[in-house]
mmCIF file of all heavy atoms in Angstrom:
data_model
loop_
_atom_site.group_PDB
_atom_site.id
_atom_site.type_symbol
_atom_site.label_atom_id
_atom_site.label_comp_id
_atom_site.label_asym_id
_atom_site.label_seq_id
_atom_site.Cartn_x
_atom_site.Cartn_y
_atom_site.Cartn_z
ATOM 1 N N LYS A 1537 -132.559 18.278 7.904
ATOM 2 C CA LYS A 1537 -133.166 19.190 6.956
ATOM 3 C C LYS A 1537 -132.256 20.313 6.648
ATOM 4 O O LYS A 1537 -131.993 20.704 5.505
ATOM 5 C CB LYS A 1537 -134.466 19.725 7.505
ATOM 6 C CG LYS A 1537 -135.606 18.705 7.485
ATOM 7 C CD LYS A 1537 -136.968 19.375 7.494
ATOM 8 C CE LYS A 1537 -138.043 18.382 7.267
ATOM 9 N NZ LYS A 1537 -138.270 17.478 8.370
ATOM 10 N N HIS A 1540 -129.233 19.209 4.530
ATOM 11 C CA HIS A 1540 -129.677 18.918 3.187
ATOM 12 C C HIS A 1540 -129.853 20.200 2.391
ATOM 13 O O HIS A 1540 -129.428 20.366 1.253
ATOM 14 C CB HIS A 1540 -130.943 18.077 3.179
ATOM 15 C CG HIS A 1540 -131.281 17.533 1.834
ATOM 16 N ND1 HIS A 1540 -132.390 17.895 1.181
ATOM 17 C CD2 HIS A 1540 -130.612 16.695 1.011
ATOM 18 C CE1 HIS A 1540 -132.437 17.315 0.016
ATOM 19 N NE2 HIS A 1540 -131.397 16.551 -0.114
ATOM 20 N N HIS A 1541 -130.483 21.138 3.056
ATOM 21 C CA HIS A 1541 -130.741 22.478 2.448
ATOM 22 C C HIS A 1541 -129.395 23.115 2.035
ATOM 23 O O HIS A 1541 -129.230 23.607 0.935
ATOM 24 C CB HIS A 1541 -131.499 23.311 3.431
ATOM 25 C CG HIS A 1541 -131.922 24.610 2.885
ATOM 26 N ND1 HIS A 1541 -133.069 24.721 2.062
ATOM 27 C CD2 HIS A 1541 -131.474 25.896 3.060
ATOM 28 C CE1 HIS A 1541 -133.191 25.981 1.754
ATOM 29 N NE2 HIS A 1541 -132.258 26.702 2.295
ATOM 30 N N LYS A 1544 -127.770 21.110 -0.883
ATOM 31 C CA LYS A 1544 -128.497 21.067 -2.181
ATOM 32 C C LYS A 1544 -128.584 22.463 -2.848
ATOM 33 O O LYS A 1544 -128.701 22.544 -4.047
ATOM 34 C CB LYS A 1544 -129.919 20.545 -1.937
ATOM 35 C CG LYS A 1544 -130.013 19.065 -2.067
ATOM 36 C CD LYS A 1544 -129.797 18.601 -3.484
ATOM 37 C CE LYS A 1544 -129.252 17.210 -3.550
ATOM 38 N NZ LYS A 1544 -128.802 16.738 -4.868
ATOM 39 N N ASN A 1545 -128.478 23.509 -2.047
ATOM 40 C CA ASN A 1545 -128.634 24.842 -2.640
ATOM 41 C C ASN A 1545 -127.325 25.414 -3.168
ATOM 42 O O ASN A 1545 -127.153 26.597 -3.328
ATOM 43 C CB ASN A 1545 -129.247 25.807 -1.674
ATOM 44 C CG ASN A 1545 -130.689 25.499 -1.475
ATOM 45 O OD1 ASN A 1545 -131.242 24.555 -2.058
ATOM 46 N ND2 ASN A 1545 -131.397 26.198 -0.588
ATOM 47 N N ILE A 1564 -134.668 8.123 2.436
ATOM 48 C CA ILE A 1564 -135.623 8.582 1.425
ATOM 49 C C ILE A 1564 -135.758 10.109 1.428
ATOM 50 O O ILE A 1564 -135.922 10.702 0.434
ATOM 51 C CB ILE A 1564 -136.993 7.953 1.660
ATOM 52 C CG1 ILE A 1564 -136.903 6.428 1.546
ATOM 53 C CG2 ILE A 1564 -138.032 8.434 0.585
ATOM 54 C CD1 ILE A 1564 -138.204 5.696 1.803
ATOM 55 N N GLU A 1565 -135.630 10.680 2.627
ATOM 56 C CA GLU A 1565 -135.842 12.093 2.722
ATOM 57 C C GLU A 1565 -134.764 12.877 1.946
ATOM 58 O O GLU A 1565 -135.075 13.948 1.352
ATOM 59 C CB GLU A 1565 -135.806 12.525 4.150
ATOM 60 C CG GLU A 1565 -136.311 13.964 4.361
ATOM 61 C CD GLU A 1565 -136.290 14.329 5.804
ATOM 62 O OE1 GLU A 1565 -136.751 13.543 6.658
ATOM 63 O OE2 GLU A 1565 -135.819 15.437 6.079
ATOM 64 N N VAL A 1566 -133.538 12.409 1.929
ATOM 65 C CA VAL A 1566 -132.467 13.226 1.386
ATOM 66 C C VAL A 1566 -131.739 12.693 0.133
ATOM 67 O O VAL A 1566 -131.008 13.423 -0.485
ATOM 68 C CB VAL A 1566 -131.381 13.493 2.466
ATOM 69 C CG1 VAL A 1566 -131.945 14.299 3.596
ATOM 70 C CG2 VAL A 1566 -130.741 12.230 2.922
ATOM 71 N N SER A 1567 -131.974 11.415 -0.277
ATOM 72 C CA SER A 1567 -131.023 10.867 -1.267
ATOM 73 C C SER A 1567 -131.539 10.981 -2.654
ATOM 74 O O SER A 1567 -132.747 10.879 -2.951
ATOM 75 C CB SER A 1567 -130.778 9.387 -1.014
ATOM 76 O OG SER A 1567 -130.705 9.149 0.374
ATOM 77 N N MET A 1588 -137.969 11.344 -6.876
ATOM 78 C CA MET A 1588 -139.053 12.207 -6.327
ATOM 79 C C MET A 1588 -138.551 13.622 -6.094
ATOM 80 O O MET A 1588 -137.369 13.819 -5.918
ATOM 81 C CB MET A 1588 -139.509 11.618 -4.963
ATOM 82 C CG MET A 1588 -140.146 10.228 -5.107
ATOM 83 S SD MET A 1588 -140.055 9.355 -3.543
ATOM 84 C CE MET A 1588 -141.132 10.321 -2.502
ATOM 85 N N LYS A 1589 -139.481 14.585 -6.085
ATOM 86 C CA LYS A 1589 -139.131 16.004 -5.856
ATOM 87 C C LYS A 1589 -138.786 16.192 -4.354
ATOM 88 O O LYS A 1589 -139.351 15.509 -3.495
ATOM 89 C CB LYS A 1589 -140.279 16.936 -6.184
ATOM 90 C CG LYS A 1589 -140.510 17.122 -7.662
ATOM 91 C CD LYS A 1589 -141.366 18.357 -7.896
ATOM 92 C CE LYS A 1589 -142.583 18.498 -6.978
ATOM 93 N NZ LYS A 1589 -143.671 17.618 -7.385
ATOM 94 N N TYR A 1590 -137.925 17.185 -4.097
ATOM 95 C CA TYR A 1590 -137.759 17.587 -2.654
ATOM 96 C C TYR A 1590 -138.628 18.745 -2.404
ATOM 97 O O TYR A 1590 -138.950 19.521 -3.315
ATOM 98 C CB TYR A 1590 -136.279 18.084 -2.481
ATOM 99 C CG TYR A 1590 -135.246 16.990 -2.617
ATOM 100 C CD1 TYR A 1590 -134.478 16.928 -3.813
ATOM 101 C CD2 TYR A 1590 -135.077 16.072 -1.664
ATOM 102 C CE1 TYR A 1590 -133.520 16.012 -3.945
ATOM 103 C CE2 TYR A 1590 -134.075 15.065 -1.798
ATOM 104 C CZ TYR A 1590 -133.295 15.068 -2.978
ATOM 105 O OH TYR A 1590 -132.389 14.124 -3.091
ATOM 106 N N PRO A 1591 -139.125 18.977 -1.200
ATOM 107 C CA PRO A 1591 -139.084 18.040 -0.059
ATOM 108 C C PRO A 1591 -140.004 16.892 -0.274
ATOM 109 O O PRO A 1591 -141.064 17.011 -0.895
ATOM 110 C CB PRO A 1591 -139.582 18.908 1.102
ATOM 111 C CG PRO A 1591 -140.454 19.968 0.517
ATOM 112 C CD PRO A 1591 -139.899 20.197 -0.848
ATOM 113 N N ARG A 1592 -139.614 15.712 0.205
ATOM 114 C CA ARG A 1592 -140.364 14.508 -0.137
ATOM 115 C C ARG A 1592 -141.575 14.336 0.709
ATOM 116 O O ARG A 1592 -141.551 14.527 1.918
ATOM 117 C CB ARG A 1592 -139.360 13.330 -0.009
ATOM 118 C CG ARG A 1592 -138.318 13.551 -1.104
ATOM 119 C CD ARG A 1592 -137.524 12.373 -1.427
ATOM 120 N NE ARG A 1592 -136.892 12.713 -2.740
ATOM 121 C CZ ARG A 1592 -135.699 12.212 -3.069
ATOM 122 N NH1 ARG A 1592 -134.992 11.446 -2.233
ATOM 123 N NH2 ARG A 1592 -135.206 12.536 -4.222
ATOM 124 N N ASP A 1593 -142.623 13.985 0.027
ATOM 125 C CA ASP A 1593 -143.926 13.841 0.648
ATOM 126 C C ASP A 1593 -144.114 12.485 1.227
ATOM 127 O O ASP A 1593 -144.232 11.501 0.501
ATOM 128 C CB ASP A 1593 -145.035 14.199 -0.366
ATOM 129 C CG ASP A 1593 -146.381 14.140 0.184
ATOM 130 O OD1 ASP A 1593 -146.451 13.972 1.482
ATOM 131 O OD2 ASP A 1593 -147.363 14.276 -0.564
ATOM 132 N N MET A 1594 -144.158 12.429 2.546
ATOM 133 C CA MET A 1594 -144.260 11.158 3.183
ATOM 134 C C MET A 1594 -145.532 10.429 2.893
ATOM 135 O O MET A 1594 -145.629 9.242 3.140
ATOM 136 C CB MET A 1594 -144.250 11.324 4.751
ATOM 137 C CG MET A 1594 -142.789 11.526 5.281
ATOM 138 S SD MET A 1594 -142.833 11.490 7.063
ATOM 139 C CE MET A 1594 -142.982 9.722 7.372
ATOM 140 N N ARG A 1595 -146.580 11.147 2.442
ATOM 141 C CA ARG A 1595 -147.883 10.518 2.222
ATOM 142 C C ARG A 1595 -148.081 10.087 0.779
ATOM 143 O O ARG A 1595 -149.098 9.507 0.385
ATOM 144 C CB ARG A 1595 -148.996 11.431 2.635
ATOM 145 C CG ARG A 1595 -149.143 11.384 4.197
ATOM 146 C CD ARG A 1595 -149.745 12.716 4.637
ATOM 147 N NE ARG A 1595 -148.860 13.811 4.182
ATOM 148 C CZ ARG A 1595 -149.101 15.078 4.488
ATOM 149 N NH1 ARG A 1595 -150.141 15.421 5.104
ATOM 150 N NH2 ARG A 1595 -148.266 15.983 4.054
ATOM 151 N N SER A 1596 -147.064 10.357 -0.113
ATOM 152 C CA SER A 1596 -147.206 9.996 -1.492
ATOM 153 C C SER A 1596 -147.080 8.479 -1.697
ATOM 154 O O SER A 1596 -146.537 7.763 -0.915
ATOM 155 C CB SER A 1596 -146.194 10.707 -2.356
ATOM 156 O OG SER A 1596 -144.905 10.203 -2.079
ATOM 157 N N GLN A 1598 -145.353 7.043 -4.118
ATOM 158 C CA GLN A 1598 -143.981 6.721 -4.405
ATOM 159 C C GLN A 1598 -143.169 6.503 -3.137
ATOM 160 O O GLN A 1598 -142.400 5.525 -3.056
ATOM 161 C CB GLN A 1598 -143.319 7.871 -5.195
ATOM 162 C CG GLN A 1598 -143.727 7.971 -6.596
ATOM 163 C CD GLN A 1598 -143.466 9.346 -7.121
ATOM 164 O OE1 GLN A 1598 -144.062 10.316 -6.636
ATOM 165 N NE2 GLN A 1598 -142.563 9.478 -8.045
ATOM 166 N N TYR A 1599 -143.401 7.413 -2.221
ATOM 167 C CA TYR A 1599 -142.696 7.269 -0.906
ATOM 168 C C TYR A 1599 -142.999 5.926 -0.284
ATOM 169 O O TYR A 1599 -142.126 5.187 0.105
ATOM 170 C CB TYR A 1599 -143.109 8.423 -0.021
ATOM 171 C CG TYR A 1599 -142.317 8.494 1.286
ATOM 172 C CD1 TYR A 1599 -141.332 9.449 1.480
ATOM 173 C CD2 TYR A 1599 -142.555 7.607 2.369
ATOM 174 C CE1 TYR A 1599 -140.640 9.515 2.638
ATOM 175 C CE2 TYR A 1599 -141.821 7.635 3.529
ATOM 176 C CZ TYR A 1599 -140.857 8.646 3.648
ATOM 177 O OH TYR A 1599 -140.162 8.691 4.801
#
Side-chain angles (χ1 to χ4, degrees):
Chain A
K1537 285 203 170 73
H1540 190 245
H1541 187 76
K1544 271 292 154 188
N1545 288 0
I1564 299 181
E1565 192 180 315
V1566 296
S1567 321
M1588 297 156 67
K1589 287 199 312 284
Y1590 295 104
R1592 294 195 164 150
D1593 181 5
M1594 278 189 79
R1595 281 151 304 181
S1596 69
Q1598 284 158 296
Y1599 187 104

